[in-house]
Amino acid sequence: MRKSSARFVKSAKQASDFPRDRKPEIAFCGRSNSGKSSLLNVLTNSRGLARTSSSPGRTQLINFFLIDETTYYVDLPGYGFAKVPKGIREAWGEMVEGYLRNREPLKLAILLVDSRVPPMQSDQVMKEWLDHFGIPSLVALTKCDKISRNELSKALRTCAETLQTKEIIACSATTGFGKEAILKKIHDVIDRNPTQ
Ligand code: GTP
Ligand code: MG
């Protein structure tokens, strides 16, 4: 296995707090509880790097992790979490939008969708939004360890239709399934878009 380093750099709320060293960034977005922080931990081989929780709404700020001193993985707060008061939900939405819009170092947004739940309108809106702003995206269909092969084939078809994309990788943070495919995609995108 390739040796790599990963460390937490900062939590941010607004553009003035974001890193300024122009290293390429990969963002993890999706509904609350879809598995963003868990996937980030698996991709970096570091269990407790990003905090995870069984109750939605764990990640409340934009968290930047520096990988191999070259790339930021950006863990975003989730959307679609009904139990959070409306004002806070709106503030999170603004925070995420404020990051995704006009973020020059952002090279790829990984949109996470729980494989047990068909994509919701909020996921569609997010995907349309990424397309509208020309942000390359990859859908990660998460928690595949929880469903059968047949269910997975069906989930892949539904996801492709609803989110209008062929860029989907099924994965599991529990078994590591799909990890290498996602890392390959990340490395391809970065190799094609060197910054600095
Ligand atoms: P927010 O920060 O609230 O937006 O959530 P998140 O998208 O970061 O989700 P998180 O990684 O915290 O995971 C939510 C729950 O799902 C946790 O209980 C995880 O252990 C569980 N989980 C995440 N990925 C997987 C997976 O691949 N398989 C299984 N079985 N459980 C998973
Ligand atoms: Mg999280």
Side-chain angles (χ1 to χ4, degrees), residues 147-162:
I147 59 172
S148 70
R149 267 169 176 261
N150 274 346
E151 286 168 330
L152 177 56
S153 310
K154 209 175 145 208
L156 282 165
R157 273 200 307 275
T158 310
C159 212
E161 279 165 23
T162 319

Side-chain angles (χ1 to χ4, degrees), residues 28 31-38 50-53 55-61 63 75-78:
F28 294 74
R31 286 167 51 77
S32 276
N33 209 247
S34 56
K36 299 176 290 298
S37 303
S38 302
R51 292 221 192 103
T52 65
S53 165
S55 44
R58 170 71 251 188
T59 307
Q60 306 190 355
L61 291 166
N63 294 314
D75 192 14
L76 296 168

Side-chain angles (χ1 to χ4, degrees), residues 155-173:
L156 282 165
R157 273 200 307 275
T158 310
C159 212
E161 279 165 23
T162 319
L163 299 179
Q164 292 287 301
T165 183
K166 287 181 181 148
E167 296 277 345
I168 309 177
I169 296 179
C171 62
S172 162

